[in-house]
């Protein structure tokens, strides 16, 4: 019978397989005639339900094939709830602090989702219900669109993790549209703004005497180097602050980034200015310190940026430099736009920025009109 087979030909150990929502579900039934008979019965029952729609097909081998009558009597006893998905994802988040450095906000969002939807069948929750809930909490609490997008993102990650664990085959939060956060126009740092910002950072360095306050001066230098490396390497924030000295290769002029947005390692490149900044930072010989006795710093001891990230000082520096509506991530936009403005080919910019596709790089194409004109020159009449 199609769908029933021996795991190893001649072993007399029988298994069966069916396709559910495009995914093969395989189940073992044991040895001999009884094992084969059970496998045949399982496939026939599943095919009947698939043809008639009267019953529940299993998402994994651990879940039973149930007819509509059986569900009415037994209930969907093996159904996975949203609460279970939440618990599984929360366990993963806590076990991987290097991936989820924020151990406060994601667990809060998971707990809120579990409180509202925890007892619901995860496979039957509708995207419209999630969207309505997000509308309600946004209106009740006057939350920003970006905050709602984070909640929606966490909800989707809960389901994605559930799919990886074969607990569920759907992801209704992914069908909920993202809210507009006004990022249609990229923000770039002008040369005048850069001059003002560098002035603020340099004055902070100069305010600390190297003899009287050497550690404070080192910390101030650390800030300027953070900015310099960000602006001239194009690294994402998470890539930059997860960088370790063992992954900095001055000879090959690359920085090996092991934790990236899409999960695939990539290289960032070291130009002369970045090399000088990193060497200056290395000479400072700063070490990561615990926040308190009860809050140990979990970052690697050989982290390049020893004073952690820029959450505390960045906005204050922008305010002093009178720079509005500019984020740390906009350093990356500035990096890409300046390369394109300088005539660098878009494929090179894609490699430098680590864009997964050229489509992301094409956002900066309008900075390269000369390249377009040069390419169109092939249409000129021959003279």
């Amino acid at each position: 019978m199609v769908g029933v087979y021996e795991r190893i030909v001649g072993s007399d150990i029988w298994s069966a397989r069916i396709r559910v929502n495009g995914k093969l579900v395989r189940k073992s039934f044991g040895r001999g005639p009884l094992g084969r008979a059970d496998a045949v019965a399982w496939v026939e029952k599943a095919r009947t339900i698939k043809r008639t729609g009267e019953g529940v097909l299993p998402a994994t081998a651990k879940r039973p094939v149930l007819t509509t009558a059986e569900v009415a009597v037994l209930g969907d006893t093996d159904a996975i709830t949203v609460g279970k998905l939440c618990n599984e994802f929360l366990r993963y988040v806590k076990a991987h602090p290097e991936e989820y450095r924020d151990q406060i906000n994601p667990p809060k969002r998971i707990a809120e989702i579990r409180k509202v939807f925890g007892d619901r069948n995860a496979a039957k929750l509708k995207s419209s219900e999630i969207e309505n809930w997000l509308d309600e909490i946004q209106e009740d609490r006057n939350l920003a669109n970006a905050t709602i997008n984070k909640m929606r993102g966490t909800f989707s990650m809960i389901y994605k993790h559930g799919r990886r664990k074969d607990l569920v085959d759907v992801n209704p939060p992914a069908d909920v549209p993202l809210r507009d956060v006004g990022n249609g126009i990229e923000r770039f740092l002008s040369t005048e703004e850069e001059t003002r910002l560098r002035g603020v950072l340099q004055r902070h360095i100069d305010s600390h005497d190297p003899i009287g306050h050497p550690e404070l001066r080192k910390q101030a230098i650390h800030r300027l180097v953070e900015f310099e490396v960000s602006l001239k390497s194009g690294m994402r924030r998470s890539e930059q602050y997860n960088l370790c000295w063992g992954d900095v290769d001055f000879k090959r002029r690359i920085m090996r980034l092991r934790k990236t947005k899409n999960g695939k390692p990539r290289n960032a490149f070291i130009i002369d200015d970045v090399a000088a900044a990193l060497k200056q930072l290395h000479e400072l010989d700063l070490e990561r310190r615990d926040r308190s006795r009860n809050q140990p710093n979990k970052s690697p001891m050989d982290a390049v940026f020893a004073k952690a990230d820029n959450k505390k000082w960045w906005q204050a520096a922008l305010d002093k430099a009178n720079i509005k509506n500019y984020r740390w991530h906009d350093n990356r936009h500035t990096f890409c736009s300046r390369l394109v403005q300088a005539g660098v080919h878009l494929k090179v910019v894609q490699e430098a920025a680590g864009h997964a596709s050229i489509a992301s790089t094409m956002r900066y194409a309008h900075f390269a009109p000369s390249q377009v004109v040069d390419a169109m020159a092939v249409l000129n009449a021959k003279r």
Side-chain angles (χ1 to χ4, degrees):
M1 180 180 184
V2 177
V4 177
Y5 60 99
E6 289 178 287
R7 293 176 61 186
I8 301 175
V9 177
S11 67
D12 204 24
I13 300 175
W14 295 92
S15 296
R17 61 186 170 218
I18 58 172
R19 191 171 293 277
V20 180
N21 297 325
K23 175 185 174 183
L24 276 178
V25 177
R26 299 179 176 87
K27 186 176 178 67
S28 298
F29 288 91
R31 187 185 300 273
L34 289 178
R36 187 180 187 282
D38 288 342
V40 169
W42 185 81
V43 169
E44 289 180 341
K45 185 177 181 181
R47 286 179 175 173
T48 300
I49 291 173
K50 194 172 184 178
R51 184 178 66 254
T52 64
E54 297 180 355
V56 177
L57 292 173
T60 69
K62 295 180 180 180
R63 301 183 66 180
V65 180
L66 298 176
T67 64
T68 300
E70 288 171 332
V71 172
V73 175
L74 303 174
D76 192 357
T77 56
D78 203 31
I80 300 298
T81 65
V82 174
K84 180 173 178 58
L85 295 186
C86 288
N87 293 339
E88 290 293 326
F89 184 55
L90 180 62
R91 187 178 298 112
Y92 181 85
V93 169
K94 290 184 175 180
H96 295 82
E98 72 287 349
E99 182 178 352
Y100 292 90
R101 298 184 66 188
D102 183 355
Q103 289 284 311
I104 297 176
N105 292 304
K108 283 184 177 179
R109 291 193 286 268
I110 294 170
E112 185 166 0
I113 291 167
R114 183 174 53 210
K115 181 178 179 181
V116 177
F117 298 101
D119 61 347
R120 295 290 302 278
N121 184 327
K124 295 182 179 180
L125 187 62
K126 297 179 180 179
S127 58
S128 59
E129 296 178 88
I130 299 171
E131 186 172 1
N132 291 338
W133 174 63
L134 292 174
D135 288 339
E136 290 174 4
I137 63 174
Q138 183 171 32
E139 183 177 355
D140 290 345
R141 305 182 204 169
N142 193 29
L143 299 176
N145 282 351
T147 303
I148 294 299
N149 285 344
K150 289 178 181 178
M151 182 67 79
R152 178 259 192 200
T154 299
F155 216 147
S156 182
M157 287 302 299
I158 289 169
Y159 269 85
K160 285 182 180 179
H161 184 72
R163 291 179 70 171
R164 290 200 301 270
K165 295 294 184 180
D166 291 325
L167 297 174
V168 69
D169 291 320
V170 297
N171 187 354
D175 294 327
V176 177
L178 289 167
R179 311 295 167 98
D180 181 16
V181 293
N183 285 339
I185 300 177
E186 307 291 4
R187 175 72 161 90
F188 310 104
L189 192 68
S190 69
T191 54
E192 294 80 9
E193 289 174 326
E194 181 183 350
T195 299
R196 295 203 304 269
L197 183 54
R198 287 184 180 278
V200 168
L201 297 176
Q202 186 61 52
R203 286 192 292 275
H204 185 60
I205 295 172
D206 296 340
S207 67
H208 298 294
D209 180 70
I211 304 300
H213 302 93
E215 289 302 314
L216 291 177
R217 184 178 177 86
K218 287 182 180 181
Q219 292 178 28
I221 295 173
H222 189 287
R223 296 179 182 181
L224 182 57
V225 171
E226 288 175 70
F227 173 65
E228 178 79 350
V229 172
S230 173
L231 192 66
K232 295 185 178 180
S233 72
M235 286 189 288
R236 298 179 179 89
R237 178 174 176 167
S238 59
E239 293 171 342
Q240 180 172 348
Y241 290 106
N242 280 315
L243 183 65
C244 294
W245 283 115
D247 292 322
V248 177
D249 190 333
F250 287 107
K251 185 176 181 180
R252 296 176 60 202
R253 302 178 73 84
I254 61 172
M255 295 173 283
R256 187 64 171 162
L257 307 179
R258 302 183 183 277
K259 299 173 184 177
T260 65
K261 182 179 180 180
N262 61 17
K264 297 179 181 179
R266 74 175 184 92
N267 291 332
F269 301 93
I270 303 175
I271 64 173
D272 290 345
D273 287 356
V274 172
L278 289 174
K279 288 176 181 177
Q280 181 184 22
L281 189 61
H282 196 270
E283 291 172 358
L284 294 178
D285 196 28
L286 291 167
E287 295 181 356
R288 292 230 169 183
R289 296 180 179 176
D290 293 343
R291 295 187 183 92
S292 68
R293 183 175 300 175
N294 297 326
Q295 288 185 300
N297 197 321
K298 297 180 180 180
S299 300
M301 293 302 295
D302 66 337
V304 171
F305 295 93
K307 303 309 294 181
D309 59 29
N310 51 49
K311 291 179 182 178
K312 293 184 178 179
W313 64 265
W314 174 243
Q315 189 57 52
L318 292 175
D319 292 342
K320 290 181 180 179
N322 194 27
I323 298 174
K324 308 295 184 183
N325 301 317
Y326 190 82
R327 307 161 302 164
W328 185 263
H329 188 73
D330 294 325
N331 290 336
R332 179 171 163 83
H333 295 317
T334 302
F335 167 82
C336 293
S337 66
R338 289 181 177 180
L339 286 177
V340 176
Q341 285 175 319
V344 177
H345 194 280
L346 290 176
K347 286 298 290 183
V348 176
V349 177
Q350 178 188 0
E351 180 69 16
H355 288 148
S357 70
I358 193 65
S360 297
T361 316
M362 288 300 295
R363 291 181 297 172
Y364 307 96
H366 62 282
F367 287 109
S370 61
Q371 290 186 21
V372 178
V373 173
D374 290 343
M376 292 172 61
V378 298
L379 302 177
N380 288 327
K382 302 298 182 182
R383 291 184 177 86

